[in-house]
Amino acid sequence: MAKLEHFAIYAADLEALKDFYVEVMGLKLARVGGGNPPGGYFLADDHGGAIEIIARPEGESNARQRWVCHLAFWVDDVAAKQAELEKLGLVFETDTANFDDAIQTSFFHDPEGNRCQLVWRREPLT
């Protein structure tokens, strides 16, 4: 069976988006991509999940697919993390939020417009 290694997203401001995911979401810098200046970063959590942030080529746009393209972050307390992010000015969707005893989830966009999800599940996916 294949194993998911990482998911990649574009960034117009590579350094700012890296800083957001490291400082706000708690990921760690795992590897710097090639190039000078760097063409991207690999950021990882403590459980084997990783994202690659790639410098977005001029003229390219981010994906705009509401249900398919998003990064999901497991948190122990969705409401608390959402409140923390809202204090930073991030806006959460209201029509997709779900808070019950089986799953808690809410969606927002990172500083580059990539759709992100906070999620807690009573029964983890894996």
Side-chain angles (χ1 to χ4, degrees):
M1 172 198 295
K3 295 181 185 178
L4 182 64
E5 184 194 48
H6 74 274
F7 184 84
I9 57 175
Y10 276 153
D13 187 335
L14 190 61
E15 297 302 317
L17 196 60
K18 173 195 55 92
D19 291 346
F20 171 79
Y21 281 106
V22 170
E23 296 168 10
V24 176
M25 299 306 292
L27 298 179
K28 295 179 178 103
L29 179 62
R31 184 173 295 180
V32 176
N36 187 12
Y41 296 102
F42 287 91
L43 308 175
D45 63 20
D46 293 332
H47 304 282
I51 63 173
E52 179 183 14
I53 300 173
I54 301 169
R56 185 171 68 207
E58 188 73 30
E60 288 286 327
S61 64
N62 282 341
R64 301 221 180 261
Q65 297 181 18
R66 178 176 170 119
W67 298 107
V68 177
C69 293
H70 67 266
L71 300 171
F73 294 93
W74 174 279
V75 294
D76 291 326
D77 187 334
V78 171
K81 188 64 176 181
Q82 180 172 334
E84 175 189 328
L85 295 174
E86 286 174 330
K87 286 180 184 175
L88 297 175
L90 296 170
V91 177
F92 280 75
E93 298 173 9
T94 56
D95 62 327
T96 56
N98 185 60
F99 289 86
D100 62 38
D101 64 344
I103 185 170
Q104 297 177 6
T105 183
S106 59
F107 288 87
F108 66 98
H109 289 90
D110 73 16
E112 287 274 348
N114 298 296
R115 192 163 184 256
C116 298
Q117 176 186 26
L118 300 178
V119 64
W120 169 89
R121 299 174 195 272
R122 183 177 56 228
E123 299 292 329
L125 289 176
T126 59

